[in-house]
Amino acid sequence: MSVAGADARPGVKERLSDALYGLGWTAVKTLPEPAARALFRTLADQVWKRRGKSVLRLEANLARVVPDADPARLAALSRAGMRSYMRYWMESFRLPTWSPERIKASIDVTDAHRLTDGLDSGRGVILALPHLGNWDLAGAWVTTDLKVPFTTVAERLKPESLYDRFVAYREGLGMEVLPHNGGAAFGTLARRLRSGGLVCLVADRDLSASGVEVSFFGDTARMPAGPALLAQQTGALLLPVTLSYDDTPVMKARIHPAVEVPESGDRAGKTSVMTQALADAFALGIAEHPEDWHMLQRLWLADLEPRTDRSGDQ
């Protein structure tokens, strides 16, 4: 969640972001739920009406997902997208107060047996998700309803106090959180999988040099190699997961068929094939519920090229 209109100086903006997130986790959870829902829906509509950089980027991304959409439909999708995004934050700020029964009642999982069977086999499981719906709620369901701990990775944020807030929040939901710092995190994830554990990774955006190029809605994007590499090195089961909202308070989740390691090819070739399979599964879920894809940043390589019009930069 970005802080629009803040002072451009990094220190001021970072401190303001930290303060706003802190307010969210302290104040929002004390509101009556109808009031919290109404507040965040209003906030979403106000942000959408301002047509800032994040909203314009979301709309540009949605134009790739729904290429036949006219301007009116794109505007409606982006408005619904901001409401979905704010629903994610409203739920996340309140999640620490939810009981296990409330968490279980707030998510409906299709083909959960793919996850439970994989864990029962003892081989380790990797769940890979795009920025769809509320991945924190899905994680809380795993730790509370299935009673399975898991390990994930979090990007280091500035200031450090903001990163610490996110780590504390997710650890409070039963997750082990590792900083995204390259090889050390990968090694720990591999050890957890070799011992039969569960790893969950958000895996639809990687702009680093190590990102794997994939075809995504007809153009080239980069996605992280980590899920495919971990599956190859540890023998863990790699399961794509997609999430979505509807008009009910219950989020829907779907666990897709496993992405298998190809029988032939070198490591790079296998990684490319597996990451493309993940991208294809993500695309299925995103195409069905584009308004729930919270991608407010540039993703496709063509959009990363310098251009004179920077109105949609993120």
Side-chain angles (χ1 to χ4, degrees), residues 37-47 83:
R37 290 188 179 278
L39 172 63
F40 276 74
R41 188 182 181 91
T42 300
L43 179 60
D45 288 346
Q46 290 300 317
V47 171
R83 288 180 173 180

Side-chain angles (χ1 to χ4, degrees), residues 2-300:
S2 61
V3 181
D7 192 304
R9 290 172 294 171
V12 174
K13 186 172 181 179
E14 290 164 3
R15 289 196 298 272
L16 181 56
S17 294
D18 183 36
L20 288 174
Y21 281 108
L23 180 64
W25 271 303
T26 55
V28 175
K29 64 186 180 184
T30 66
L31 292 173
E33 185 151 332
R37 290 188 179 278
L39 172 63
F40 276 74
R41 188 182 181 91
T42 300
L43 179 60
D45 288 346
Q46 290 300 317
V47 171
W48 179 79
K49 288 178 182 177
R50 290 179 59 185
R51 307 291 291 166
K53 293 179 180 179
S54 295
V55 173
L56 293 175
R57 174 45 43 195
L58 174 63
E59 206 160 283
N61 290 338
L62 290 171
R64 289 182 177 272
V65 175
V66 190
D68 60 344
D70 61 19
R73 186 182 178 199
L74 276 178
L77 278 174
S78 67
R79 184 176 188 177
M82 290 309 300
R83 288 180 173 180
S84 174
Y85 184 52
M86 289 302 175
R87 175 175 171 174
Y88 161 76
W89 281 110
M90 186 276 295
E91 290 178 347
S92 295
F93 288 142
R94 297 173 68 84
L95 257 178
T97 68
W98 286 9
S99 67
E101 293 75 21
R102 171 67 188 277
I103 291 171
K104 180 179 180 180
S106 298
I107 184 169
D108 179 19
V109 183
T110 299
D111 292 326
H113 67 91
R114 289 176 171 144
L115 170 58
T116 55
D117 290 351
L119 291 170
D120 290 344
S121 74
R123 65 183 289 194
V125 176
I126 305 159
L127 295 181
L129 307 87
H131 286 80
L132 267 174
N134 189 335
W135 44 96
D136 288 324
L137 173 55
W141 170 77
V142 170
T143 59
T144 58
D145 189 42
L146 298 187
K147 295 181 172 55
V148 175
F150 68 86
T151 305
T152 189
V153 175
E155 178 185 359
R156 279 206 173 275
L157 303 171
K158 293 182 180 181
E160 190 73 15
S161 57
L162 180 55
Y163 171 77
D164 290 342
R165 287 187 193 276
F166 273 96
V167 170
Y169 159 63
R170 291 186 168 122
E171 287 181 343
L173 297 175
M175 312 176 193
E176 178 188 24
V177 182
L178 306 177
H180 188 281
N181 57 358
F186 187 92
T188 302
L189 295 173
R191 287 193 294 274
R192 299 292 183 269
L193 292 168
R194 290 192 181 102
S195 65
L198 176 63
V199 164
C200 299
L201 300 171
V202 178
D204 58 345
R205 185 174 187 265
D206 186 346
L207 304 181
S208 71
S210 61
V212 178
E213 292 191 4
V214 296
S215 176
F216 196 55
F217 290 102
D219 210 341
T220 304
R222 287 198 193 102
M223 294 188 181
L229 288 173
L230 284 166
Q232 291 176 62
Q233 293 193 19
T234 67
L237 192 68
L238 176 54
L239 296 173
V241 179
T242 55
L243 310 170
S244 64
Y245 290 129
D246 56 20
D247 294 331
T248 74
V250 180
M251 183 177 72
K252 307 303 186 289
R254 177 186 174 191
I255 301 178
H256 295 254
V259 173
E260 302 293 346
V261 178
E263 295 182 0
S264 61
D266 59 13
R267 185 173 70 170
K270 291 178 179 180
T271 300
S272 178
V273 170
M274 296 173 72
T275 306
Q276 182 63 61
L278 280 180
D280 293 343
F282 295 166
L284 286 174
I286 293 167
E288 290 175 355
H289 300 277
E291 69 279 3
D292 292 325
W293 189 40
H294 306 152
M295 185 55 67
L296 279 66
Q297 297 171 303
R298 296 184 185 275
L299 176 69
W300 284 272

